[in-house]
């Protein structure tokens, strides 16, 4: 069933686990996520970035997400990932998304507050949950690139002010993760997560979570992270599945056969993440 992001994350916060938010671009990815969620009895978030919306078109991506959620045996939220412009967020709300991220992290604090607040007022009026970002997460997520020099960690006091003034439902924080493939092992600033958690009562969100070791993710969850975003690890599983199949079957021409192993590999990866997040049997 289709539910709001807030509903999922408040339950996760209450019970001490994290909900996986996995990026969607096409039908096979959506099916892999839903099958993994149903087989592990996990709540889940399907998230579409602006890049995914550009690739598939809003009608297709919204229809895929809503159809999957409506037929799923587990609660599913449909979320806009890294919405950077106001109009895009409104279009998603109109198309039935139950959660939106308004990413104003490129702006100075005052502007980020004003930009986020405008979305919160409208989204709340129609029952849609809102995620915002404070601090800057490095790396590339689709069309948005933040280099290491520009990245800034979230300041706990600014987080308090940001949450109070915007009324946002959950907050993405910059604590050492990065979008894309890591060069070395990522080092999370756990003290900072705790410092933010001690001052801010809403669920916290971890971006750039692909490639972060399981133990670090578990520790982050114990300190207040309740939404974990995964994109790159699914891309890797998808690509590996396609490459292996085509290598072993060079004459293959049936897209269903070529994509089946990709879907299976993504599904295994997602189930593995759900175990780490502690969302298994929480649906
Ligand atoms: O918003 C999406 C995520 O932060 C994904 O990051 O590609 O590093 O897993 P990732
Ligand atoms: Zn992200």
């Amino acid at each position: 069933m289709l539910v709001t992001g807030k509903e999922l994350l408040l339950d996760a916060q209450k019970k001490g686990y994290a909900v996986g938010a996995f990026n969607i671009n096409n039908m096979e990815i959506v099916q892999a996520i839903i099958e993994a969620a149903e087989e592990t009895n996990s709540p889940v978030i399907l998230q579409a970035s602006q890049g995914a919306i550009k690739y598939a078109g809003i009608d297709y991506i919204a229809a895929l997400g809503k159809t999957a959620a409506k037929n799923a045996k587990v609660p599913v939220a449909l979320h806009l990932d890294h919405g950077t412009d106001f109009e895009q967020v409104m279009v998603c709300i109109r198309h039935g998304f139950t959660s939106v991220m308004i990413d104003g992290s490129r702006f100075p604090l005052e502007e980020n507050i004003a930009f986020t607040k405008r979305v919160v007022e409208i989204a709340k009026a129609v029952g849609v949950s809102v995620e915002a970002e404070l601090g800057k997460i490095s790396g590339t997520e689709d069309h948005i690139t933040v280099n290491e020099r520009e990245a800034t960690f979230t300041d706990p006091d600014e987080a308090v002010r940001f949450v109070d003034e915007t009324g946002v439902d959950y907050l993405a924080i910059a604590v050492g993760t990065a979008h894309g493939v890591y060069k070395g092992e990522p080092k999370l600033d756990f003290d900072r997560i705790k410092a933010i958690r001690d001052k801010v009562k809403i669920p916290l969100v971890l971006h750039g979570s692909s490639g972060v070791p399981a133990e670090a993710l578990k520790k982050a969850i114990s300190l207040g992270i309740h939404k974990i975003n995964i994109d790159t690890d699914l891309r890797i599983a998808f690509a590996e599945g396609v490459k292996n199949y085509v290598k072993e079957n060079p004459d293959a021409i049936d897209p269903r056969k070529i994509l089946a192993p990709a879907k299976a590999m993504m599904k295994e990866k997602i189930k593995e993440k759900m175990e780490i997040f502690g969302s298994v049997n929480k649906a």
Side-chain angles (χ1 to χ4, degrees):
M1 78 223 68
L2 182 64
V3 300
T4 65
K6 186 175 176 180
E7 189 179 326
L8 293 185
L9 297 195
L10 289 184
D11 187 70
Q13 190 174 37
K14 200 165 84 191
K15 298 180 184 153
Y17 66 95
V19 180
F22 301 95
N23 283 76
I24 59 170
N25 296 288
N26 67 12
M27 185 185 75
E28 284 76 11
I29 301 175
V30 171
Q31 289 175 334
I33 299 166
I34 296 294
E35 285 174 26
E38 287 183 335
E39 286 171 26
T40 59
N41 196 28
S42 285
V44 75
I45 297 172
L46 299 175
Q47 58 183 14
S49 66
Q50 289 190 170
I53 293 170
K54 201 170 161 205
Y55 168 74
I58 184 68
D59 287 323
Y60 274 92
I61 209 88
L64 271 175
K66 284 189 289 183
T67 305
K70 183 162 68 79
N71 294 315
K73 296 184 193 79
V74 292
V76 179
L78 179 59
H79 175 77
L80 167 66
D81 187 31
H82 293 286
T84 52
D85 71 88
F86 182 79
E87 283 73 22
Q88 182 74 75
V89 175
M90 295 304 118
V91 167
C92 287
I93 291 176
R94 231 191 134 147
H95 277 79
F97 281 54
T98 56
S99 176
V100 288
M101 176 182 187
I102 183 69
D103 180 353
S105 60
R106 65 195 178 283
F107 297 130
L109 180 65
E110 302 288 339
E111 268 180 77
N112 191 359
I113 289 175
F115 184 60
T116 303
K117 205 171 161 184
R118 196 168 159 225
V119 167
V120 171
E121 274 169 14
I122 296 166
K124 281 221 167 142
V126 291
V128 171
S129 318
V130 183
E131 172 181 338
E133 179 174 323
L134 187 64
K136 276 194 200 136
I137 298 158
S138 72
T140 301
E141 173 69 15
D142 273 347
H143 59 301
I144 309 166
T145 299
V146 176
N147 66 39
E148 274 176 43
R149 215 163 25 84
E150 289 169 330
T152 39
F153 282 11
T154 307
D155 177 82
D157 292 317
E158 283 188 3
V160 177
R161 184 173 161 213
F162 186 86
V163 170
D164 282 352
E165 292 189 22
T166 60
V168 76
D169 296 304
Y170 23 102
L171 183 68
I173 53 173
V175 288
T177 54
H179 291 123
V181 179
Y182 287 97
K183 287 186 202 100
E185 189 168 305
K187 296 236 173 316
L188 271 70
D189 186 343
F190 295 112
D191 292 341
R192 188 174 295 268
I193 302 177
K194 189 176 180 313
I196 298 169
R197 158 78 304 138
D198 288 345
K199 293 175 179 239
V200 167
K201 297 303 163 209
I202 59 170
L204 302 174
V205 181
L206 193 67
H207 283 245
S209 309
S210 295
V212 177
E215 287 318 308
L217 291 175
K218 285 182 186 168
K219 190 165 177 190
I221 295 166
S222 76
L223 294 172
I225 295 288
H226 297 296
K227 174 175 181 276
I228 298 190
N229 288 13
I230 300 282
D231 186 7
T232 301
D233 277 346
L234 297 195
R235 293 180 182 208
I236 294 170
F238 184 95
E240 249 179 56
V242 171
K243 283 182 207 165
N244 291 345
Y245 187 82
V246 173
K247 201 171 162 201
E248 283 160 25
N249 303 274
D251 299 327
I253 57 161
D254 185 338
R256 295 165 298 188
K257 289 192 175 149
I258 295 169
L259 293 181
K263 182 178 151 187
M265 285 190 73
M266 285 188 290
K267 192 165 135 183
E268 276 323 296
K269 183 52 76 183
I270 296 161
K271 284 165 89 170
E272 210 179 277
K273 299 287 179 192
M274 287 171 165
E275 292 281 351
I276 297 167
F277 300 167
S279 66
V280 173
N281 286 328
K282 299 292 194 316

